[in-house]
Coordinates of all heavy atoms in Angstrom, one line a residue:
R14 N -165.8 97.4 -66.3 CA -165.3 96.2 -65.8 C -166.3 95.3 -65.1 O -166.5 94.2 -65.4 CB -164.1 96.4 -64.9 CG -163.0 95.4 -65.1 CD -161.7 95.8 -64.3 NE -161.0 96.9 -64.8 CZ -160.3 97.0 -65.9 NH1 -160.2 95.9 -66.7 NH2 -159.7 98.1 -66.3
E15 N -167.0 95.9 -64.1 CA -168.0 95.1 -63.4 C -169.3 94.8 -64.2 O -169.8 93.7 -64.2 CB -168.5 95.9 -62.1 CG -167.6 95.6 -60.9 CD -167.5 94.1 -60.7 OE1 -168.5 93.5 -60.4 OE2 -166.4 93.6 -60.7
L16 N -169.7 95.8 -64.9 CA -171.0 95.7 -65.7 C -170.9 94.5 -66.7 O -171.9 93.8 -66.9 CB -171.2 97.0 -66.5 CG -172.5 97.2 -67.2 CD1 -173.7 97.0 -66.3 CD2 -172.6 98.5 -68.0
L17 N -169.7 94.3 -67.3 CA -169.6 93.3 -68.3 C -169.1 92.0 -67.6 O -168.6 91.1 -68.3 CB -168.6 93.7 -69.4 CG -169.2 94.9 -70.2 CD1 -168.2 95.3 -71.3 CD2 -170.5 94.6 -70.8
N18 N -169.2 91.9 -66.3 CA -168.8 90.7 -65.6 C -169.9 90.1 -64.8 O -169.6 89.2 -64.0 CB -167.6 91.0 -64.8 CG -166.5 89.9 -64.8 OD1 -166.6 89.0 -65.7 ND2 -165.6 89.9 -63.9
I19 N -171.1 90.5 -64.9 CA -172.2 90.0 -64.1 C -173.1 89.1 -64.9 O -173.1 89.2 -66.1 CB -173.0 91.2 -63.4 CG1 -173.5 92.1 -64.5 CG2 -172.2 91.9 -62.4 CD1 -174.5 93.1 -64.0
G20 N -173.9 88.3 -64.2 CA -174.9 87.5 -64.8 C -174.4 86.6 -65.9 O -173.3 86.0 -65.8
I21 N -175.2 86.4 -67.0 CA -174.8 85.5 -68.1 C -173.5 85.9 -68.8 O -172.8 85.1 -69.3 CB -176.0 85.3 -69.1 CG1 -176.4 86.6 -69.7 CG2 -177.1 84.5 -68.5 CD1 -177.2 86.4 -71.0
L22 N -173.2 87.2 -68.8 CA -172.0 87.7 -69.4 C -170.8 87.2 -68.7 O -169.8 86.6 -69.2 CB -171.9 89.2 -69.6 CG -172.7 89.9 -70.6 CD1 -172.3 91.3 -70.8 CD2 -172.5 89.2 -72.0
G23 N -170.9 87.3 -67.3 CA -169.8 86.9 -66.5 C -169.6 85.4 -66.6 O -168.5 84.9 -66.7
Q24 N -170.7 84.6 -66.6 CA -170.6 83.1 -66.8 C -170.0 82.8 -68.1 O -169.2 81.9 -68.2 CB -172.0 82.5 -66.6 CG -172.6 82.6 -65.2 CD -174.1 82.4 -65.2 OE1 -174.7 82.0 -66.2 NE2 -174.7 82.8 -64.1
A25 N -170.5 83.5 -69.2 CA -170.0 83.1 -70.5 C -168.5 83.5 -70.6 O -167.7 82.7 -71.3 CB -170.8 83.9 -71.6
R26 N -168.1 84.5 -70.0 CA -166.6 84.9 -70.0 C -165.8 83.8 -69.2 O -164.8 83.4 -69.7 CB -166.4 86.3 -69.4 CG -166.9 87.4 -70.3 CD -166.7 88.7 -69.6 NE -165.4 89.2 -69.6 CZ -165.0 90.4 -69.1 NH1 -165.9 91.2 -68.6 NH2 -163.7 90.7 -69.1
A27 N -166.4 83.4 -68.0 CA -165.7 82.4 -67.2 C -165.6 81.1 -68.0 O -164.5 80.4 -67.9 CB -166.4 82.2 -65.9
A28 N -166.6 80.8 -68.8 CA -166.6 79.5 -69.5 C -165.8 79.6 -70.8 O -165.7 78.6 -71.5 CB -168.0 79.1 -69.8
G29 N -165.3 80.8 -71.1 CA -164.6 81.0 -72.4 C -165.4 81.0 -73.6 O -164.9 80.9 -74.8
V30 N -166.7 81.2 -73.5 CA -167.6 81.3 -74.7 C -167.4 82.6 -75.4 O -167.4 82.7 -76.6 CB -169.1 81.1 -74.3 CG1 -170.0 81.1 -75.5 CG2 -169.3 79.7 -73.6
I31 N -167.3 83.7 -74.5 CA -166.9 85.0 -75.1 C -165.7 85.5 -74.3 O -165.4 85.1 -73.2 CB -168.1 86.0 -75.0 CG1 -168.5 86.2 -73.5 CG2 -169.3 85.6 -75.9 CD1 -169.4 87.4 -73.3
D32 N -165.0 86.5 -75.0 CA -163.9 87.1 -74.4 C -164.1 88.6 -74.5 O -164.5 89.1 -75.6 CB -162.6 86.7 -75.2 CG -161.3 87.3 -74.7 OD1 -161.4 87.9 -73.6 OD2 -160.3 87.1 -75.3
V33 N -164.0 89.3 -73.4 CA -164.2 90.8 -73.5 C -162.9 91.5 -73.0 O -162.5 91.2 -71.9 CB -165.4 91.2 -72.6 CG1 -165.6 92.8 -72.7 CG2 -166.7 90.5 -72.9
Q34 N -162.3 92.3 -73.9 CA -161.1 92.9 -73.5 C -161.3 94.4 -73.5 O -161.9 95.0 -74.5 CB -160.0 92.6 -74.6 CG -159.6 91.2 -74.7 CD -158.8 90.7 -73.5 OE1 -158.1 91.5 -72.8 NE2 -159.0 89.4 -73.1
L35 N -160.9 95.1 -72.4 CA -161.1 96.5 -72.2 C -159.7 97.2 -72.4 O -158.8 96.8 -71.8 CB -161.6 96.8 -70.8 CG -163.0 96.2 -70.5 CD1 -163.3 96.3 -69.0 CD2 -164.1 96.8 -71.4
H36 N -159.7 98.2 -73.3 CA -158.4 98.9 -73.6 C -158.5 100.3 -73.2 O -159.4 101.0 -73.6 CB -158.1 98.8 -75.1 CG -158.2 97.4 -75.6 ND1 -157.0 96.6 -75.7 CD2 -159.2 96.6 -76.1 CE1 -157.4 95.4 -76.2 NE2 -158.7 95.4 -76.4
D37 N -157.5 100.8 -72.5 CA -157.4 102.2 -72.2 C -156.9 103.0 -73.4 O -155.7 102.8 -73.8 CB -156.5 102.4 -70.9 CG -156.4 103.8 -70.5 OD1 -156.9 104.7 -71.2 OD2 -155.9 104.1 -69.4
L38 N -157.7 103.8 -73.9 CA -157.3 104.6 -75.1 C -156.0 105.4 -74.9 O -155.3 105.5 -75.9 CB -158.5 105.5 -75.5 CG -158.4 106.2 -76.9 CD1 -158.5 105.2 -78.0 CD2 -159.4 107.3 -77.0
R39 N -155.8 105.8 -73.7 CA -154.6 106.6 -73.4 C -153.3 105.8 -73.7 O -152.2 106.3 -73.8 CB -154.6 107.2 -72.0 CG -155.7 108.2 -71.9 CD -155.6 109.0 -70.5 NE -156.8 109.6 -70.3 CZ -157.2 110.8 -70.8 NH1 -156.4 111.4 -71.6 NH2 -158.3 111.3 -70.5
E40 N -153.4 104.4 -73.7 CA -152.2 103.6 -74.0 C -151.8 103.8 -75.4 O -150.7 103.4 -75.8 CB -152.6 102.1 -73.8 CG -153.0 101.7 -72.3 CD -151.8 101.9 -71.4 OE1 -150.7 101.6 -71.8 OE2 -152.1 102.3 -70.2
Y41 N -152.6 104.3 -76.2 CA -152.3 104.5 -77.7 C -152.0 105.9 -78.1 O -152.1 106.2 -79.2 CB -153.5 103.9 -78.5 CG -153.7 102.4 -78.2 CD1 -154.8 102.0 -77.4 CD2 -152.8 101.5 -78.6 CE1 -155.0 100.7 -77.0 CE2 -153.0 100.1 -78.3 CZ -154.1 99.8 -77.5 OH -154.2 98.5 -77.2
T42 N -151.7 106.8 -77.1 CA -151.3 108.1 -77.4 C -149.8 108.1 -77.5 O -149.1 107.2 -77.1 CB -151.7 109.1 -76.2 OG1 -151.2 108.5 -75.0 CG2 -153.2 109.2 -76.1
D43 N -149.3 109.2 -78.1 CA -147.8 109.3 -78.3 C -147.2 110.5 -77.7 O -146.1 110.9 -78.1 CB -147.4 109.1 -79.8 CG -147.9 110.2 -80.6 OD1 -148.7 111.1 -80.1 OD2 -147.6 110.3 -81.8

Side-chain angles (χ1 to χ4, degrees):
R14 219 172 291 287
E15 271 309 298
L16 186 60
L17 297 178
N18 219 12
I19 53 167
I21 56 165
L22 282 193
Q24 289 160 17
R26 288 176 76 179
V30 180
I31 59 166
D32 181 6
V33 181
Q34 298 289 330
L35 301 170
H36 305 267
D37 184 347
L38 189 67
R39 293 189 196 279
E40 298 294 321
Y41 301 103
T42 52
D43 64 352

